[in-house]
Amino acid sequence: MGLIVNGKWVDQWYDTDKSEGKFVRQDSRFRAQISTAQGSQFKPEAGRYHLYVSLACPWAHRTLIFRKLKQLEDVISVSVVEAQMMENGWEFGESGDPLYHLDHAYQLYLKADPSYQGRVTVPILWDKKTQTIVNNESVEIIRMFNSAFNELTGNVDDYFPVAQREEIEAVNTRIYDTINNGVYKAGFATTQEAYNDAYHTLFDSLDWLENRLSKQRYLVGENITEADWRLFTTLIRFDAVYHGHFKCNRNKLSEFHHISNYVNELYQVPGVKETVDLEYTKIHYYASHLTINPTRIVPLGATQNFDAPHDRDRQYF
Ligand SMILES: N[C@@H](CCC(=O)N[C@@H](CS)C(=O)NCC(=O)O)C(=O)O
């Protein structure tokens, strides 16, 4: 775990000294867009882009789901970093960097921008043509996958419909702050107060979500939208990782009837379960975060069956 400082990798845990023990996530820095717009440097082209992911990472997981749902598997290649992230950050191992056979993800960041400073995160959407990072922000990557390649694939499924954008964004904002990033705020807090705040805000939001999902099948409208997928990748990891490792333990997610049925439904959407690997995920979190779990012992639970029948196809008012 570390970051790039003045062109060099430095092994360093998150610094919470200046934020009263609170974990503050760094903004993603590569923010270019793939688009057909005139003058666009990055046009949608089959075989041009490569996605680097960790199967443990909820942010990267979103991009894998969109790659599946939008039938981009033959258009955008993918590779997976090693489960453990130790003193050199994300490691590529034998198959993690099929393009340049680099050892570490930080080398890829420096290849894209030798002056890059900061943390080295996944997902990374790489352009093989100009040999740079197009974008390393999952929200923007899934939106590109949602629409930029439609003409190439013929898949016009839309998870961010114009008519619902405002409501989707409002829901996303609360869910990002209190749930997606909320579990990290609890887990990476270094003072009791910062942890307490994150814990209460997280479970207030899960109570709100349980109520919302008792009245409607999906977060927004009558179909699955990006809001559901953005939430799903955090929820699927909850009992296996966040409940124990990040101390988000007021309840297990399986104790929320509507939320857990909702997770099962999303898991059972064709193609999605192939993007989930909770064993790899547990190894990543428990064996990489030495500050939180110095013994690196990976717990054997929680046993969950996301293939169990769900009740989400019932009538809603
Ligand atoms: N805002 C980014 C966050 C990506 C992110 O933080 N990924 C984590 C893995 S779950 C990471 O690579 N962390 C490495 C680090 O912070 O040093 C996104 O949504 O893409």
Side-chain angles (χ1 to χ4, degrees):
M1 172 87 70
L3 71 169
I4 298 173
V5 181
N6 298 330
K8 295 240 155 27
W9 180 256
V10 179
D11 180 21
Q12 189 184 298
W13 185 253
Y14 300 110
D15 183 1
T16 54
D17 286 352
K18 292 186 207 83
S19 54
E20 295 164 338
K22 292 186 189 129
F23 167 65
V24 180
R25 187 174 292 282
Q26 171 193 288
D27 285 340
S28 305
R29 307 270 176 73
F30 295 92
R31 310 297 284 262
Q33 299 292 314
I34 296 172
S35 106
T36 47
Q38 240 200 345
S40 160
Q41 195 193 344
F42 303 107
K43 298 276 193 210
E45 286 169 35
R48 177 167 170 180
Y49 301 99
H50 186 83
L51 188 61
Y52 291 93
V53 297
S54 158
L55 300 178
C57 171
W59 321 100
H61 189 184
R62 301 162 160 185
T63 66
L64 280 181
I65 291 175
F66 271 75
R67 180 173 170 269
K68 271 269 180 207
L69 298 177
K70 292 292 299 184
Q71 295 168 299
L72 288 164
E73 284 163 294
D74 294 333
V75 175
I76 295 164
S77 51
V78 72
S79 59
V80 178
V81 300
E82 296 285 286
Q84 293 185 35
M85 181 183 58
M86 305 308 289
E87 62 276 11
N88 290 311
W90 294 114
E91 300 201 9
F92 286 131
E94 288 204 355
S95 54
D97 182 21
L99 303 185
Y100 310 108
H101 308 289
L102 297 173
D103 295 323
H104 311 294
Y106 77 80
Q107 296 168 312
L108 201 63
Y109 271 62
L110 288 173
K111 186 174 173 64
D113 177 4
S115 68
Y116 180 86
Q117 306 255 21
R119 305 207 78 88
V120 169
T121 59
V122 287
I124 304 164
L125 183 61
W126 183 266
D127 177 24
K128 299 176 201 174
K129 200 168 178 176
T130 60
Q131 307 210 0
T132 196
I133 298 173
V134 180
N135 199 301
N136 69 339
E137 171 52 50
S138 63
V139 169
E140 293 179 5
I141 297 173
I142 63 174
R143 288 190 182 160
M144 286 184 247
F145 287 6
N146 184 54
S147 57
F149 296 88
N150 283 6
E151 278 178 29
L152 278 177
T153 61
N155 180 319
V156 292
D157 295 347
D158 187 4
Y159 295 94
F160 194 43
V162 174
Q164 289 169 324
R165 285 190 184 174
E166 212 173 305
E167 193 178 350
I168 291 174
E169 291 284 27
V171 168
N172 284 343
T173 300
R174 173 162 190 179
I175 289 178
Y176 171 77
D177 192 42
T178 61
I179 302 179
N180 300 134
N181 203 27
V183 294
Y184 283 89
K185 287 187 198 168
F188 289 160
T190 56
T191 62
Q192 187 70 46
E193 205 184 352
Y195 162 75
N196 290 359
D197 276 356
Y199 171 102
H200 289 303
T201 320
L202 165 68
F203 281 98
D204 284 351
S205 270
L206 289 175
D207 290 338
W208 161 77
L209 202 60
E210 176 71 353
N211 182 43
R212 188 171 179 108
L213 292 174
S214 72
K215 299 185 193 132
Q216 58 194 70
R217 185 165 180 171
Y218 304 115
L219 283 178
V220 177
E222 292 183 358
N223 296 299
I224 299 179
T225 65
E226 67 152 50
D228 298 297
W229 293 123
R230 286 171 58 159
L231 173 63
F232 171 77
T233 61
T234 297
L235 298 183
I236 194 89
R237 287 161 174 73
F238 200 91
D239 287 1
V241 176
Y242 304 137
H243 182 269
H245 187 58
F246 280 177
K247 307 183 184 79
C248 299
N249 61 357
R250 194 196 81 185
N251 298 92
K252 285 192 188 156
L253 216 61
S254 48
E255 292 162 15
F256 292 94
H257 178 86
H258 300 295
I259 299 178
S260 55
N261 273 270
Y262 164 84
V263 172
N264 286 3
E265 180 185 7
L266 293 177
Y267 178 80
Q268 292 166 29
V269 167
V272 171
K273 69 182 68 165
E274 295 143 44
T275 65
V276 177
D277 187 337
L278 286 183
E279 283 315 309
Y280 170 113
T281 300
K282 281 181 5 184
I283 292 170
H284 165 69
Y285 281 93
Y286 285 100
S288 305
H289 297 157
L290 302 189
T291 313
I292 301 175
N293 188 34
T295 62
R296 304 177 66 207
I297 288 171
V298 181
L300 297 175
T303 309
Q304 289 163 284
N305 178 13
F306 299 110
D307 273 318
H310 62 80
D311 65 2
R312 302 301 294 166
D313 41 9
R314 68 194 165 84
Q315 285 290 316
Y316 293 83
F317 308 106

